[in-house]
Amino acid sequence: MESRVFELIREEEQRQKENIELIASENFVSENVLKAVGSCLTNKYAEGYPAERATGSKGRYYGGCGVVDKLEEYACDKWREVFGTDYHVNVQPHSGSSANLAAYMSVLSVGDTVLAMSLDNGGHLTHGSSVNFSGKLFKTAFYGVTEDGYIDYDDLKKKAEEYRPKLILAGASAYPRIIDFEKFYEVAKSVGAYFMVDMAHIAGLIAAGVHPSPFGLADIITTTTHKTLRGPRGGMIFCKKELAKKVDGAVFPCCQGGPLEHVIAGKAVAAEEACSPEFKEYIKQVVKNTAACCQRFKELGYEIVTGGTDNHLFLIDFTETHPNLTGKAVQDALDKEHITLNKNCVPGEKRKPSETSGVRIGLAAMTTKGWTEKDAIACADRINGIISAIKC
Ligand code: DSN
């Protein structure tokens, strides 16, 4: 008898094939990434680091790690190549949240202050939310966005001077515009704070050179590997070389046990792919498709946060144009039509996070499936038809 699990995997495979996937943090990995993640490397325990690591690593805590040592070093080298950097890199974090936890633990003590973007303005749970470890372990202060939805750099400076944080964090999970890392760097240095960037959403754009890079400015950079980088689910931390030992120690033994070598293999495959000219073309197409879809919604009369997008996502705000419509109602109606996106808070949000007044739309996944601008425009028209039929 076949395992129930494989029936369900086939069911999910079908869903992914048939649905239009607009969740800005999702993507479709290559067959080679899938093969690496489903490989025999899952059988290997490898707590520790390859012995030659420049950070004084004492090696692994288990025997038989010769192959995974080579694999992990290779993954690190390839990711440095992707971003054209000589930063130290740790490819062991199991997720973006684990990467952020380890990044904080590397340079902060419990009770230190972090200044980050608030969740309802586009930040992330792990950037200091009171319901997350980040808000429970650290004091947090938040900067926001201006009325037009752009990061409020004056507010950032004011809050930095008021709270004197030990770490200032740039990065977001729902921000459609270029982030000015130079401005963040200047503010962080002016108050003697560490400068950290969580580039999870825009890492693919940075790799392809279509978003300014934080390398050379930030002390620590975290990312996931599964969004615009199109790798397996997981995280990574880059840091200036002088912080390498602290970051490695914060990942293991402080925050994690054995690394997932099969996922590290998938990350290495994704790095090989991200080094290719095809990946750069892919990311350029993501940005074009997102702009085309966003523009069509504007033409159809929708209000777009900041009036547009520079990256792989945009936010529709229903507050003024459709006051009775919630993000949840739109998400549910689209789900029934096999279009997947997520409800999202908008700046100045009045509704609960479980309802919201907006939705977030991302084009990275459908661009992997081969979409061009005309598909993105047709999709906006189809969504508009579905929204128009919602009774509220
Ligand atoms: N859940 C991710 C997102 O959708 O942006 C962030 O962790």
Side-chain angles (χ1 to χ4, degrees):
M1 200 182 71
E2 198 197 26
S3 155
R4 169 82 177 125
V5 174
F6 292 99
E7 274 173 35
L8 291 173
I9 290 175
R10 268 204 307 278
E11 207 178 299
E12 174 61 11
E13 225 167 40
Q14 200 57 27
R15 188 195 69 82
Q16 290 188 16
K17 243 180 227 155
E18 287 168 359
N19 275 32
I20 291 179
E21 181 53 72
L22 300 175
I23 292 179
S25 47
E26 291 191 10
N27 214 324
F28 299 106
V29 300
S30 67
E31 284 298 319
N32 281 342
V33 169
L34 281 181
K35 219 190 276 177
V37 175
S39 71
C40 65
L41 290 160
T42 195
N43 299 329
K44 189 70 200 100
Y45 242 124
E47 278 168 317
Y49 294 101
E52 309 82 60
R53 212 162 160 93
T55 53
S57 149
K58 295 194 174 46
R60 307 282 191 178
Y61 287 76
Y62 296 90
C65 286
V67 177
V68 294
D69 279 1
K70 285 188 265 185
L71 171 74
E72 209 170 311
E73 290 291 10
Y74 177 69
C76 292
D77 287 344
K78 283 315 277 187
W79 279 113
R80 271 190 286 267
E81 189 182 330
V82 170
F83 292 103
T85 181
D86 64 353
Y87 271 39
H88 175 72
V89 56
N90 187 309
V91 292
Q92 292 191 1
H94 300 330
S95 66
S97 296
S98 315
N100 284 347
L101 173 61
Y104 297 142
M105 295 308 283
S106 70
V107 293
L108 301 179
S109 301
V110 170
D112 281 344
T113 302
V114 173
L115 174 60
M117 192 185 215
S118 63
L119 186 59
D120 57 352
N121 278 201
H124 188 255
L125 272 175
T126 59
H127 296 180
S129 164
S130 61
V131 296
N132 180 263
F133 68 78
S134 51
K136 293 182 192 293
L137 294 179
F138 306 105
K139 293 194 196 92
T140 45
F142 297 106
Y143 55 87
V145 293
T146 55
E147 256 177 29
D148 57 8
Y150 283 78
I151 291 175
D152 188 341
Y153 293 97
D154 293 333
D155 188 39
L156 168 73
K157 191 164 169 38
K158 205 173 107 222
K159 298 278 171 53
E161 282 161 5
E162 186 180 344
Y163 291 98
R164 310 297 296 187
K166 186 134 180 227
L167 184 145
I168 293 181
L169 176 53
S173 53
Y175 186 67
R177 294 297 187 175
I178 298 282
I179 299 178
D180 190 336
F181 294 130
E182 302 251 358
K183 278 197 184 144
F184 273 95
Y185 172 79
E186 279 160 25
V187 173
K189 291 308 127 187
S190 74
V191 295
Y194 284 106
F195 175 33
M196 172 174 158
V197 172
D198 177 346
M199 64 173 182
H201 264 269
I202 52 172
L205 283 73
I206 291 168
V210 307
H211 187 291
S213 173
F215 287 92
L217 296 171
D219 299 298
I220 304 178
I221 301 168
T222 58
T223 186
T224 51
T225 43
H226 49 271
K227 297 185 174 91
T228 49
L229 286 178
R230 213 163 53 174
R233 305 197 74 78
M236 289 193 291
I237 306 178
F238 294 86
C239 64
K240 288 190 169 161
K241 284 186 181 143
E242 58 269 28
L243 295 176
K245 203 168 177 180
K246 284 181 195 284
V247 165
D248 278 2
V251 173
F252 172 83
C254 181
C255 299
Q256 287 189 178
L260 309 176
E261 292 295 340
H262 55 305
V263 181
I264 289 173
K267 289 173 185 172
V269 173
E272 288 176 335
E273 292 171 359
C275 286
S276 69
E278 290 77 24
F279 183 79
K280 283 194 178 54
E281 289 313 307
Y282 156 70
I283 289 289
K284 283 185 193 155
Q285 192 62 49
V286 170
V287 174
K288 282 190 213 162
N289 289 350
T290 309
C293 190
C294 179
Q295 178 58 28
R296 185 65 186 145
F297 275 109
K298 277 179 82 170
E299 288 162 9
L300 291 166
Y302 289 87
E303 191 184 324
I304 307 295
V305 174
T306 75
T309 173
D310 299 324
N311 60 24
H312 63 300
L313 66 83
F314 61 94
L315 295 159
I316 303 182
D317 183 348
F318 301 117
T319 310
E320 298 292 329
T321 56
H322 305 70
N324 297 325
L325 194 61
T326 64
K328 183 177 184 319
V330 173
Q331 179 184 306
D332 290 348
L334 292 174
D335 248 345
K336 288 191 187 113
E337 300 295 328
H338 308 284
I339 298 176
T340 316
L341 51 59
N342 63 281
K343 57 183 178 288
N344 217 95
C345 290
V346 290
E349 181 61 73
K350 303 268 183 318
R351 292 190 167 96
K352 298 179 289 189
S354 55
E355 294 287 325
T356 81
S357 306
V359 292
R360 185 182 68 164
I361 295 183
L363 273 293
M366 293 315 291
T367 305
T368 295
K369 283 197 176 175
W371 272 22
T372 60
E373 289 97 317
K374 73 172 175 12
D375 304 299
I377 291 166
C379 178
D381 286 331
R382 192 167 154 203
I383 292 176
N384 176 50
I386 296 166
I387 291 178
S388 306
I390 298 175
K391 300 205 180 8
C392 53

